[in-house]
Amino acid sequence: MYKIIPVDPFNLVLFGGTGDLARREILPGLYRRFHVGQIPRSSKIICVARKSYGKQEFSDFVKKAITENLDQHLIDQDTLAQFLSMVTYKSLDANDNENWESLKQSLDLSLITAFYLSVGPNIFSKIINNLDKFDLIRPNSRIVVEKPFGHDFDSSRELNNILSKVFSENQIYRIDHYLGKETVQNLMALRFGNVLFEPLWNSQYIDHIQITVAEKGGVEGRGEYYDNSGAMRDMVQNHLMQLLCLVAMEPPSIFSPDAVRDEKLKVIRSLEPLHHTDIVLGQYGSIGSEPSYKEDAGNPRSTTESYIALKCKISNWRWANTAFYLRTGKRLRKRVSEIAVVFKDLPHSIFQDHPQINGNVLAIRLQPNEGINMTVTIKEPGPGGMRLIEVPLDMSFAKSLNQEVGNLTKAYERLIMDVIRGNQTLFMRGDEVEAAWQWTDKVISCWEKHRKTPQIYDPYTSGPEEAYMLTNKDQRRWREIEI
Ligand code: BG6
């Protein structure tokens, strides 16, 4: 069993406190941390939103959020009652001056206080200005900002400017929940905690790297937001680029927030601009009575991509000429996220019956079944000649660590505890986000310049046909999207 280290008592003020993220992830995640003894009882969680809620009505909302989103074995009535007594509601409109003073009165600002903005970026600045105006910010305050962190480079810079007027960079926590996933952090442990991989981790031994984040769900319910973003802005600019950074970065000299983020930033800045033939866009069609992307988005003329595949290159000494294939999409065959490091084929085979031996593949699975899997070539058991087969060396975390998959700490709860501890390693720094947007903007303007439009693909497949060409033309193949 891992050790639980309690955090100091804190205040968490959650703007957007009745929203979808609060309901599905944040409140259940906080309950879990409380349940395992990590959150002291004297902490306060204040959900803030415009709507007015009666005390009982709000308590029922929190209870429902927890019971509907967590395994029942985690819920015991005493703990739940204690947790509910820590969570209160404050009705507040970011646009006016009312109730900010009473929010301030309800907080002991000598405690660590995290203001979590789980709201649309259009009201970021109003909230931040009011936090300042009503004197709620102290040196031990932190601000947590959800994505989307801007829509392009200019808007991300503007958001950074707004934040930096009242907070210093070491108080700002820009969330990318992918960084909170168990396996994503394990990638760093794997690379920098083992002597085995690092000497091979370069263009001399690695043929290419594939990063896949496939989702089975469509955009139902979020059509309006998504239609303005598309897969590039919604997933690649943040989640996939963060994965790319962790897999490609140089070893930081120390595992500290700035050392790690400095190395990630160098990767982003070394990304080459893409050629339009290195970009594939797709959009899901309909199947049976299930709506197409255009119908889900409520926009019959939409040309937004619900799928994107890219071939990227990093121009530095370690990765010269190594292809990084990235793809993500909605309504695909399965919900699978993985990073696959494909090593080069053997330079020479000594086995006459096997003139060519495939390179090993190291697959780091983010979800489902978090773990690491390596294909190795061995002799097929049995008498007779030397027949070779490829078998998986499988290290599923749940199995290896004897844990239920559901018990692995979830991304949001881990990240919130890091906010309270003041550990920024798994959060994006301002310059990193801006650099990611700069590259993203170039990719988008490249496809716009070439008037690329998404190819329609059949739902629950591996995406558009054109995506196959991206790897086939390099004599490579995408890995199957399978669990
Ligand atoms: C979010 C995107 O950031 O990540 C969603 O906005 C996407 O469109 C989600 O569905 C995927 O997260 P996860 O953790 O379910 O892979």
Side-chain angles (χ1 to χ4, degrees), residues 147 177-178 181 215 222 234-235 239 330 335 367:
K147 69 179 274 257
H177 79 279
Y178 265 59
K181 291 188 191 265
E215 295 185 271
R222 296 169 75 222
D234 184 50
M235 297 295 287
H239 307 325
K330 303 228 178 251
R335 178 174 183 257
Q367 58 202 25

Side-chain angles (χ1 to χ4, degrees), residues 274-280 446-447 450 452 466:
L274 298 194
H275 190 262
H276 69 101
T277 53
D278 294 333
I279 305 171
V280 175
C446 168
W447 88 56
H450 288 87
K452 266 179 129 42
E466 220 187 307

Side-chain angles (χ1 to χ4, degrees), residues 353-388:
D353 291 342
H354 300 272
Q356 201 216 321
I357 298 178
N358 291 338
N360 307 83
V361 178
L362 177 71
I364 300 144
R365 251 174 299 129
L366 272 58
Q367 58 202 25
N369 316 328
E370 295 91 332
I372 294 169
N373 180 305
M374 173 111 170
T375 57
V376 288
T377 299
I378 59 160
K379 178 191 166 297
E380 191 175 29
M386 182 64 104
R387 287 184 302 273
L388 303 182

Side-chain angles (χ1 to χ4, degrees), residues 263-275:
E263 295 307 334
K264 288 199 290 162
L265 179 62
K266 285 187 212 160
V267 175
I268 301 174
R269 290 197 173 142
S270 311
L271 275 168
E272 291 179 14
L274 298 194
H275 190 262

Side-chain angles (χ1 to χ4, degrees), residues 87-208:
V87 190
T88 54
Y89 182 74
K90 170 104 12 229
S91 158
L92 197 99
D93 188 340
N95 291 307
D96 62 38
N97 291 337
E98 266 169 58
N99 285 343
W100 288 88
E101 197 53 54
S102 96
L103 172 65
K104 183 177 170 188
Q105 296 312 325
S106 62
L107 297 170
D108 172 359
L109 289 172
S110 66
L111 296 182
I112 292 161
T113 302
F115 300 104
Y116 192 134
L117 306 193
S118 174
V119 293
N122 52 329
I123 54 169
F124 277 11
S125 68
K126 286 176 186 138
I127 295 177
I128 290 163
N129 289 340
N130 278 339
L131 291 176
D132 186 34
K133 182 164 143 195
F134 290 93
D135 186 31
L136 280 124
I137 304 170
R138 299 285 178 278
N140 63 359
S141 309
R142 294 116 162 76
I143 182 104
V144 186
V145 193
E146 263 300 329
K147 69 179 274 257
F149 196 84
H151 185 73
D152 53 17
F153 170 71
D154 291 339
S155 51
S156 69
R157 172 151 284 186
E158 200 181 310
L159 283 178
N160 275 336
N161 289 341
I162 293 169
L163 285 168
S164 62
K165 274 194 195 121
V166 287
F167 292 100
S168 57
E169 184 61 38
N170 65 12
Q171 294 178 294
I172 306 173
Y173 292 76
R174 297 174 193 81
I175 285 217
D176 183 318
H177 79 279
Y178 265 59
L179 290 178
K181 291 188 191 265
E182 187 72 30
T183 328
V184 176
Q185 293 167 72
N186 232 311
L187 178 57
M188 288 189 272
L190 185 79
R191 281 193 62 192
F192 307 128
N194 294 285
V195 74
L196 213 58
F197 300 107
E198 206 43 33
L200 307 178
W201 212 261
N202 54 53
S203 60
Q204 208 185 332
Y205 293 100
I206 292 178
D207 181 69
H208 71 278

